[in-house]
């Protein structure tokens, strides 16, 4: 297990170093150190036979498909019987030993490995037939692309998006229709994407909790804990669990609930208790809907009664005005809570809220504050006809059956602040030192009218240095950050504009499909945009409307003159098209393997982490090496070429 832990540690370190390096930030390690750690990772992968899907030694190609094919499961995906009473768990377990695990709140996925390779991934579907998501599963953050077990292995687990990633992603979605209520819904939409690059960008994790098939290996297991340990030895993350007996079930339930309240990053809606003994479990059989060897325990949400004090209307840069309930503070799951989002006008009306009403509140999945019930139901709250920020008229809009409130004023102060905040955010221009509070001060001074004014802040040096919280050093840091931000890829500029419905992934799709100058994007038609998989009529019209505006044409012209915008790279050469390479050993011409890999990919080739029948060339400056990759290449008759020979092929 220590070797597998080291593999995961190296993957995380190397991926972080590459990310920092390719984003143009300060390097976190030297090329020598990177290569040393990379070689250690390769050695451990060869020794254990485990290669993580996100390992830098693996290249996962992005692919867009027209639809998700369907396929029957090897065994029915049953649902579990449920209880909300902890004492029922004690009675159910009896004198047997059990495993109590987190019931993760994501999407059930079944993975199939053959000869050590991931060959198939299916969603739960209707329990009998699932959707094939193999391409997407290969981009999950923590699953092995290769394992040491060479037989047929079928496992079931939960794909999920962690709370921390959910918050960041949901904030990056600019359109109402893109926002998700919880991590489970976001994960479901992500795992079933037709473009697996989108899946890769959303940090999906997989936790295994059950073995379905394992050729003859399963005959050697007598307990389910042995199965989980076996799967851990293959490089999988297993669902967090505790071994329990009759006298320890209740204390373990309490321990899990404390971990959830303490900020566990995994979305969970309860626990699962299963008998540990495999033979005993199999003897119990199943009902038409559920297996008899497991039972689900749903969190009993802690409720608190309180009084509604106010309803705050929060405006965003898209004009959406969200209702937020303010109530007398109450203690829930160990923290003090006084606010809860009401989400939209439809929910507001359903709850019949009014100031002074007695309401019950809880934390959904013990994390997110929600209103459960309004016991008064006065319905005295009126929906504002004017924006709480700018005072201009509002409009009620029906989208997908839900009512939302919008501010119609294009020059609303709240829109301006949120738009500038979005413009300088990490995934956009990434300008350090410009918080929302700082931007508010600059806007109040009358220095910021359109987005391009950000880059003229140096004209106000004296005033900025005298502002509270600023000084000469802070000013110099800001000027440096503004200068660095001018070097930016096209897709991040498009994303930074705040076009309704266009997150970073959508901006990338457009820029990769139609690489053109920012000032030329007004030529794109809705019909051309709809040809891009993932963009529908509404998004296409949103894009066209933005760039056809005279105000926005002036803005993008200013930005193009200020910024040094890099275009998406194209394959200028297809010299290596259809060829697959594996790179091993130390390099002399290239700084590291990533640099060599990028060169091959620019020429149309592919780079794999392992030698197989599909490999065309193994790149190794030490042709006489006795490494496992050299041996494998010789066995399969695959040419071993030096770096110089690769350069001749490229040039």
């Amino acid at each position: 297990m220590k070797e597998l832990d080291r593999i995961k540690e190296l993957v995380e370190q190397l991926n972080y170093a590459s990310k920092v390096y390719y984003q143009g930030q300060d390097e976190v390690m030297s090329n020598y150190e990177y290569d040393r750690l990379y070689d250690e990772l390769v050695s451990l992968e060869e020794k254990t036979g485990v290669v993580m899907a996100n390992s830098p030694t693996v290249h996962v190609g992005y692919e867009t498909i027209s639809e998700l094919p369907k396929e029957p499961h090897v065994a029915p995906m049953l649902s579990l019987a449920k209880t909300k009473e902890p004492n029922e768990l004690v009675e159910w377990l009896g004198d047997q030993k059990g495993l109590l695990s987190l019931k993760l709140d994501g999407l059930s996925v079944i993975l199939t490995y053959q000869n050590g390779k991931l060959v198939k991934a299916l969603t739960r579907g209707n329990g009998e037939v699932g959707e094939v998501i193999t391409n997407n599963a290969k981009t999950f953050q923590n699953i092995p692309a290769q394992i040491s077990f060479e037989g047929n292995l079928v496992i079931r687990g939960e794909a999920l998006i962690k709370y921390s990633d959910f918050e960041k992603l949901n904030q990056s979605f600019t359109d109402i229709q893109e926002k998700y209520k919880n991590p489970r819904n976001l994960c479901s939409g992500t795992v079933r994407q037709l473009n697996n690059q989108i899946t890769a960008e959303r940090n999906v994790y997989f936790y295994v909790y059950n073995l379905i098939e394992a050729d003859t290996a399963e005959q050697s297991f007598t307990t389910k804990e042995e199965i989980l340990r076996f799967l851990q030895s293959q490089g999988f993350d297993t669902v967090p669990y505790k071994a329990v007996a009759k006298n320890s079930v209740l204390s373990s339930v309490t321990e899990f609930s404390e971990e959830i309240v303490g900020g566990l990053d995994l979305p969970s809606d309860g626990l699962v208790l299963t008998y540990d003994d495999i033979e005993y479990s199999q003897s119990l059989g199943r009902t038409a809907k559920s297996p008899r060897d497991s039972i689900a325990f749903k969190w009993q949400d802690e409720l608190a009664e309180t009084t509604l004090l106010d309803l705050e209307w929060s405006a965003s840069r898209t004009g959406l005005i969200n209702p937020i309930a303010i109530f007398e503070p109450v203690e829930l799951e160990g923290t003090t809570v006084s606010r809860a989002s009401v989400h939209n006008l439809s929910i507001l009306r359903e709850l019949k809220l009014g100031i002074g009403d007695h309401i019950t509140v809880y934390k959904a999945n013990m994390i997110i504050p929600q209103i459960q019930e309004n016991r008064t139901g006065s319905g005295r709250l009126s929906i504002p006809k004017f924006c709480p920020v700018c005072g201009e008229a509002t409009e009620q809009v029906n989208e997908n059956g839900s009512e939302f409130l919008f501010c119609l004023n294009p020059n609303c102060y709240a829109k301006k602040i949120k738009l500038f905040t979005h413009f300088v955010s990490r995934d956009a221009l990434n300008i350090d030192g410009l918080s929302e509070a700082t931007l508010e001060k600059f806007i109040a001074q009358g220095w910021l009218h359109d987005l391009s004014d950000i880059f003229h802040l140096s004209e106000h040096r004296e005033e900025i240095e005298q502002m509270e919280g600023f000084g000469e050093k802070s000013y110099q840091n800001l000027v440096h950050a503004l200068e660095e931000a001018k070097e930016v890829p096209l897709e991040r500029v498009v994303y930074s504009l705040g076009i309704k419905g266009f997150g970073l992934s959508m901006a990338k799709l457009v820029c990769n499909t139609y690489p053109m100058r920012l000032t030329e994007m007004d030529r794109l038609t809705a019909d051309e945009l709809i040809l891009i998989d993932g963009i529908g009529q509404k998004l296409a019209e949103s894009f066209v409307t933005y760039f056809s505006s005279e105000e926005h044409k002036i803005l993008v012209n200013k930005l193009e003159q200020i910024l040094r915008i890099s275009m998406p790279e194209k394959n200028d050469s297809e010299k290596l098209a259809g060829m697959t390479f594996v790179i091993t050993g130390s390099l002399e011409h290239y700084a590291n393997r990533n640099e060599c890999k990028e060169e091959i990919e620019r020429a149309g080739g592919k780079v794999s982490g392992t030698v197989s029948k599909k490999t065309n060339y193994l790149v190794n400056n030490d042709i006489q090496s006795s490494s496992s990759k050299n041996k494998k290449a010789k066995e399969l008759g695959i040419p071993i070429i030096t770096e110089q020979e690769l350069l001749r092929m490229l040039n």
Side-chain angles (χ1 to χ4, degrees):
M1 290 301 292
K2 287 182 179 178
E3 290 172 335
L4 293 178
D5 291 339
R6 180 58 177 162
I7 285 175
K8 293 176 182 179
E9 182 183 3
L10 287 169
V11 168
E12 184 176 349
Q13 288 179 355
L14 292 169
N15 283 343
Y16 176 70
S18 294
K19 179 181 177 183
V20 170
Y21 178 80
Y22 287 112
Q23 285 179 345
Q25 301 170 24
D26 293 337
E27 293 185 27
V28 296
M29 65 176 68
S30 66
N31 288 336
Y32 174 82
E33 179 68 5
Y34 182 94
D35 290 343
R36 185 184 70 79
L37 295 178
Y38 188 98
D39 290 340
E40 182 188 351
L41 175 61
V42 170
S43 176
L44 284 170
E45 288 177 343
E46 290 175 350
K47 181 179 178 181
T48 62
V50 173
V51 181
M52 302 307 294
N54 63 337
S55 170
T57 66
V58 176
H59 172 68
V60 177
Y62 294 135
E63 183 179 350
T64 299
I65 57 177
S66 60
E67 63 177 10
L68 292 173
K70 293 179 174 58
E71 194 170 304
H73 296 297
V74 296
M77 298 272 286
L78 303 175
S79 299
L80 297 180
K82 298 175 180 63
T83 180
K84 284 196 172 187
E85 298 299 329
N87 287 325
E88 285 188 24
L89 296 179
V90 178
E91 185 180 338
W92 182 89
L93 184 61
D95 295 327
Q96 290 289 323
K97 291 182 178 179
L99 296 182
L100 187 67
S101 61
L102 276 182
K103 185 174 183 294
L104 297 174
D105 195 16
L107 186 72
S108 290
V109 172
I110 299 88
L111 302 182
T112 300
Y113 286 76
Q114 291 175 353
N115 299 319
K117 302 283 188 183
L118 175 64
V119 296
K120 191 194 306 175
L122 285 175
T123 65
R124 183 182 188 280
N126 63 6
E128 300 287 340
V129 176
E131 291 174 306
V132 180
I133 55 160
T134 311
N135 288 330
N136 293 342
K138 288 177 179 178
T139 71
F140 290 176
Q141 295 296 306
N142 64 332
I143 66 166
Q146 178 180 319
I147 60 176
S148 59
F149 182 74
E150 294 187 348
N152 188 63
L153 181 76
V154 185
I155 57 175
R156 179 176 176 179
E158 200 81 358
L160 58 84
I161 291 176
K162 296 181 178 180
Y163 275 118
S164 55
D165 290 321
F166 168 72
E167 294 296 338
K168 293 174 190 173
L169 284 163
N170 228 16
Q171 287 172 15
S172 72
F173 297 141
T174 56
D175 195 358
I176 293 170
Q177 294 182 17
E178 283 190 303
K179 291 190 181 291
Y180 291 83
K181 190 174 180 180
N182 54 51
R184 182 186 66 253
N185 291 353
L186 176 57
C187 183
S188 179
T190 298
V191 166
R192 299 172 67 253
Q193 286 286 329
L194 300 180
N195 181 347
N196 68 337
Q197 184 171 0
I198 297 173
T199 309
E201 291 168 353
R202 293 186 181 175
N203 291 349
V204 179
Y205 288 81
F206 179 83
Y207 292 85
V208 62
Y209 54 78
N210 194 15
L211 174 67
I212 298 175
E213 283 185 3
D215 283 349
T216 56
E218 61 184 339
Q219 295 177 7
S220 62
F221 300 128
T222 58
T223 69
K224 293 176 185 175
E225 188 168 19
E226 287 175 5
I227 289 175
L228 293 178
R229 287 176 179 166
F230 162 71
L231 293 172
Q232 289 170 352
S233 75
Q234 298 299 306
F236 295 100
D237 285 333
T238 56
V239 62
Y241 73 90
K242 303 177 190 291
V244 295
K246 189 174 186 177
N247 60 356
S248 62
V249 172
L250 294 180
S251 61
S252 294
V253 170
T254 301
E255 287 172 18
F256 269 123
S257 65
E258 287 172 350
E259 288 173 19
I260 294 291
V261 172
L264 186 70
D265 208 15
L266 302 177
S268 166
D269 58 353
L271 302 169
V272 173
L273 179 60
T274 185
Y275 296 120
D276 192 29
D277 187 291
I278 292 174
E279 186 177 353
Y280 179 73
S281 293
Q282 291 174 344
S283 71
L284 299 173
R286 45 168 278 198
T287 67
K289 294 182 179 180
S290 308
R292 290 193 172 98
D293 68 337
S294 301
I295 185 171
F297 168 74
K298 299 287 284 185
W299 296 124
Q300 184 82 299
D301 296 315
E302 183 182 349
L303 296 175
E305 255 191 83
T306 184
T307 302
L308 185 68
L309 300 177
D310 198 4
L311 197 74
E312 183 180 286
W313 295 90
S314 176
S316 72
R317 68 180 175 80
T318 60
L320 175 66
I321 303 175
N322 289 312
I324 298 170
I326 314 296
F327 45 81
E328 288 277 5
V330 291
E331 288 289 318
L332 281 177
E333 314 292 356
T335 61
T336 303
V337 179
S338 61
R339 299 164 63 89
S341 174
V342 187
H343 302 295
N344 56 52
L345 300 186
S346 298
I347 294 174
L348 181 72
R349 290 185 177 117
E350 285 173 17
L351 288 169
K352 298 180 181 177
L353 291 175
I355 304 302
D357 284 0
H358 295 291
I359 59 174
T360 54
V361 293
Y362 70 103
K363 280 188 176 179
N365 290 350
M366 305 174 78
I367 300 290
I368 304 167
Q370 302 277 319
I371 297 176
Q372 186 206 46
E373 180 186 7
N374 181 2
R375 295 186 173 174
T376 307
S378 69
R380 287 193 297 262
L381 277 178
S382 57
I383 295 163
K385 295 180 180 178
F386 303 98
C387 174
V389 178
C390 69
E392 295 292 320
T394 60
E395 180 183 24
Q396 297 181 33
V397 177
N398 187 307
E399 295 203 8
N400 294 334
S402 293
E403 293 282 336
F404 298 89
L405 188 66
F406 280 91
C407 170
L408 299 178
N409 179 12
N411 299 311
C412 177
Y413 184 68
K415 287 185 184 179
K416 180 176 280 192
I417 291 170
K418 300 294 184 184
L419 182 61
F420 275 96
T421 304
H422 173 76
F423 184 71
V424 304
S425 65
R426 185 185 61 184
D427 289 337
L429 272 289
N430 192 23
I431 304 175
D432 286 334
L434 284 177
S435 65
E436 185 168 317
T438 301
L439 287 167
E440 281 189 41
K441 292 176 184 177
F442 291 167
I443 291 170
Q445 290 288 338
W447 299 337
L448 302 178
H449 300 284
D450 70 37
L451 297 175
S452 67
D453 291 333
I454 287 273
F455 295 98
H456 298 295
L457 285 170
S458 57
E459 298 170 5
H460 310 284
R461 175 174 182 168
E462 286 186 23
E463 297 99 315
I464 291 174
E465 287 184 354
Q466 292 171 13
M467 289 176 69
E468 185 181 347
F470 268 83
E472 185 179 351
K473 185 172 175 65
S474 297
Y475 170 79
Q476 293 297 341
N477 289 339
L478 174 59
V479 170
H480 177 69
L482 289 169
E483 190 58 36
E484 281 200 329
K486 291 179 182 178
E487 204 83 39
V488 61
L490 178 64
E491 65 266 16
R492 281 175 49 198
V493 182
V494 172
Y495 169 66
S496 75
L497 298 174
I499 304 168
K500 187 178 178 182
F502 273 80
L504 183 58
S505 58
M506 286 297 180
K508 281 182 180 178
L509 286 175
V510 172
C511 295
N512 288 335
T513 308
Y514 300 112
M516 59 179 65
R517 291 173 56 187
L518 196 64
T519 49
E520 295 175 342
M521 289 196 165
D522 60 347
R523 301 178 187 175
L524 287 174
T525 66
D527 288 341
E528 288 172 320
L529 291 164
I530 288 171
L531 295 175
I532 303 172
D533 185 59
I535 294 184
Q537 185 70 35
K538 193 166 185 179
L539 278 179
E541 289 173 358
S542 175
F543 190 92
V544 171
T545 299
Y546 183 92
F547 281 99
S548 62
S549 157
E550 287 303 317
E551 178 188 353
H552 294 150
K553 285 181 180 181
I554 293 169
L555 171 63
V556 297
N557 187 59
K558 288 181 183 177
L559 290 174
E560 194 166 81
Q561 292 178 45
I562 295 168
L563 303 173
R564 297 182 288 276
I565 302 173
S566 57
M567 304 297 287
E569 291 186 7
K570 293 189 204 175
N571 286 341
D572 297 324
S573 164
E574 291 294 320
K575 293 176 183 176
L576 305 184
M579 298 184 190
T580 300
F581 294 77
V582 174
I583 308 166
T584 192
S586 60
L587 299 173
E588 297 165 4
H589 175 78
Y590 296 102
N592 52 47
R593 289 193 181 96
N594 269 345
E595 191 176 295
C596 181
K597 172 184 167 184
E598 287 193 344
E599 190 85 0
I600 291 170
E601 290 174 348
R602 272 197 292 270
K606 294 181 179 180
V607 177
S608 173
T610 53
V611 177
S612 69
K613 291 178 182 178
K614 294 180 180 179
T615 306
N616 296 99
Y617 295 96
L618 172 64
V619 181
N620 189 350
N621 284 325
D622 184 1
I623 291 180
Q624 302 306 319
S625 166
S626 60
S627 71
S628 60
K629 286 184 178 174
N630 271 32
K631 289 178 183 176
K632 187 74 172 177
K634 288 173 183 176
E635 285 174 15
L636 298 173
I638 293 164
I640 304 173
I641 61 173
T642 64
E643 203 173 348
Q644 290 302 317
E645 288 174 296
L646 172 64
L647 289 169
R648 282 196 289 273
M649 292 173 71
L650 287 164
N651 298 324

